[in-house]
Amino acid sequence: MKKIWLLFAFLFLQVQNASALTIEITEGAEGALPVAVVPFGWSGPGKPLSQDVARIIADDLTRSGRFKTMPVADMLARPQSGDEVEFRDWKVLGMENLVVGQVRPNGPGGYMVRFQLFDVFKGEQLSGYNIPTTERDLRATAHQIADIIYEKLTGQRGAFATRIAYVTSIHKTGGESQVALKVADADGYSPQTIVTSKEPLMSPAWSPDGRRLAYVSFEKGQPSIYVQEVFTGRRQKVSSYKGINGAPAWSPDGRKLALTLSKDGGPDIYVLNLNRKTLTRLTTHYGIDTEPAWSPDGRYIIFTSDRGGKPQIYRVPSMGGKVKRMTYEGSYNARASYSPDGESITLVTRQGRDFRIGVLDLESGGLQVLSEGRLDESPSFAPNGGMVIYATKINGKGELAAVSVDGRVRQRLALQEGDVREPVWSPYTRKNRRNP
């Protein structure tokens, strides 16, 4: 029993704060594509808009590490539409692509945002849309435009309009902690508190439709698993057996949760059918089996187990069957999850005395270490598979970081106060449509 609760102590990642995350690029890719995002024009009456749409787009592209955006102060002109563009001027400035746009009123409380993306050297328009929106949704519209631009120029779907969930903790006088589960835009803005507690909150997991979060709460001193609707706050306790109730993971169809339970002895992997309220036990072993994660096609569940003496990643069919070991390199591999295409997994791997984030190619078996910290944990793929967000320790404080899957782009996401841990990137939702 002591071994089980030592495991929970290791998995427990406290955290909370009311302020937004601040994102800093610590390393960008060499040869980033130069692009100019000209301030959008405003054709309406009265004061300017509360959100700088062009600035949000430029910040998104810069934060990806794939683009080098031009400072507004260096621009020789500020066109608002394609017929005002002198491509020769932008060629002289070394820009390869140009974004122009404008915002105008569109009915009571509404706006129409128009943007155009140009190839400067060809003098051709690559993309452009008129997007209806509202004051409340201006930031979301800017993220949507950044996604369209990113996909057009890189061939990879953008993830700027998605969100992240994370746990935060502020330590108060007297030793008490205020813990919260939060959701924010992928750029750290618009943080929303989902639930607060004086007890630990851990293991948040997004449903495939992005509408619900499953998580573990230690309310009343007993670990239980809850499912909570992000927008309404409505929640339901779905697992509260004796002993461990931990590490929930959604099936791709959103109908089941894989989880860790110790109700029948040691920690094993189970699948809970949320509609039928039925449990299926997938593993039976004297070792610790925990941290399940589904494959994108729903056929398999990977998990962490010390059944071989050290924590390693194993796989079991989601309907039950033979367990297969997945990792052999190194003495410690844990907290794995699949990439969106199912071709690789991200995990925590031990490198000497340090715990770092790696990506394992499932076909070749090659492991690439991506992070450089001493205690990096809780990796989660972006929904386009291009980056991995994870938790780290900087000067003893819990912060978030992100790194591209090739290791060339690095970001640091910090709160002004408190610790932040256990990040998980949301899936694409219906709002994250490719085109307007």
Side-chain angles (χ1 to χ4, degrees), residues 1-13 202 218 244 246-247 260-262 266-269 287-291 304-306 311 332 334-335:
M1 190 67 181
K2 181 179 180 181
K3 186 178 181 183
I4 295 175
W5 288 106
L6 283 175
L7 169 71
F8 246 120
F10 174 75
L11 295 178
F12 167 46
L13 303 168
M202 56 192 295
F218 278 71
I244 292 174
T260 300
L261 301 176
S262 63
D268 280 298
I269 306 300
I288 294 174
D289 295 344
T290 187
E291 300 173 340
T304 305
S305 178
D306 67 351
Y332 180 102
R335 195 65 180 260

Side-chain angles (χ1 to χ4, degrees), residues 88 91 94 111 129 163 168 204 213 225 239 267 317 389 403 412:
R88 179 178 55 188
K91 290 179 185 177
Y111 300 104
Y129 293 96
R163 295 178 294 171
T168 66
L213 281 166
I225 296 175
S239 179
I389 194 170
V403 59
R412 176 185 173 191

Side-chain angles (χ1 to χ4, degrees), residues 244-407:
I244 292 174
N245 296 266
W250 293 87
S251 62
D253 62 8
R255 298 176 180 177
K256 301 173 183 177
L257 283 177
L259 36 84
T260 300
L261 301 176
S262 63
K263 70 183 190 67
D264 297 317
D268 280 298
I269 306 300
Y270 293 74
V271 171
L272 170 65
N273 186 305
L274 292 171
N275 292 328
R276 299 177 182 176
K277 312 300 182 186
T278 55
L279 273 177
T280 301
R281 187 174 183 175
L282 297 186
T283 67
T284 303
H285 200 274
Y286 61 82
I288 294 174
D289 295 344
T290 187
E291 300 173 340
W294 295 76
S295 62
D297 61 9
R299 296 177 58 194
Y300 297 103
I301 292 174
I302 53 175
F303 61 96
T304 305
S305 178
D306 67 351
R307 60 179 61 200
K310 300 287 186 179
Q312 295 291 344
I313 306 303
Y314 292 78
R315 188 185 76 181
V316 64
S318 60
M319 300 298 290
K322 186 177 180 180
V323 173
K324 177 183 177 181
R325 182 168 170 174
M326 302 292 289
T327 56
Y328 292 89
E329 182 176 337
S331 62
Y332 180 102
N333 293 287
R335 195 65 180 260
S337 59
Y338 280 92
S339 62
D341 61 10
E343 295 181 359
S344 60
I345 58 175
T346 185
L347 45 74
V348 178
T349 184
R350 185 169 183 173
Q351 302 289 304
R353 295 183 178 181
D354 301 328
F355 294 89
R356 294 180 174 169
I357 305 305
V359 168
L360 176 70
D361 184 281
L362 293 177
E363 181 176 354
S364 68
L367 175 66
Q368 181 180 6
V369 178
L370 300 180
S371 69
E372 300 175 336
R374 299 193 62 184
L375 186 58
D376 301 334
E377 53 199 6
S378 304
S380 172
F381 274 107
N384 64 0
M387 298 196 79
V388 174
I389 194 170
Y390 61 95
T392 188
K393 282 280 190 180
I394 298 177
N395 297 323
K397 179 183 176 183
E399 295 189 359
L400 304 185
V403 59
S404 60
V405 292
D406 59 11

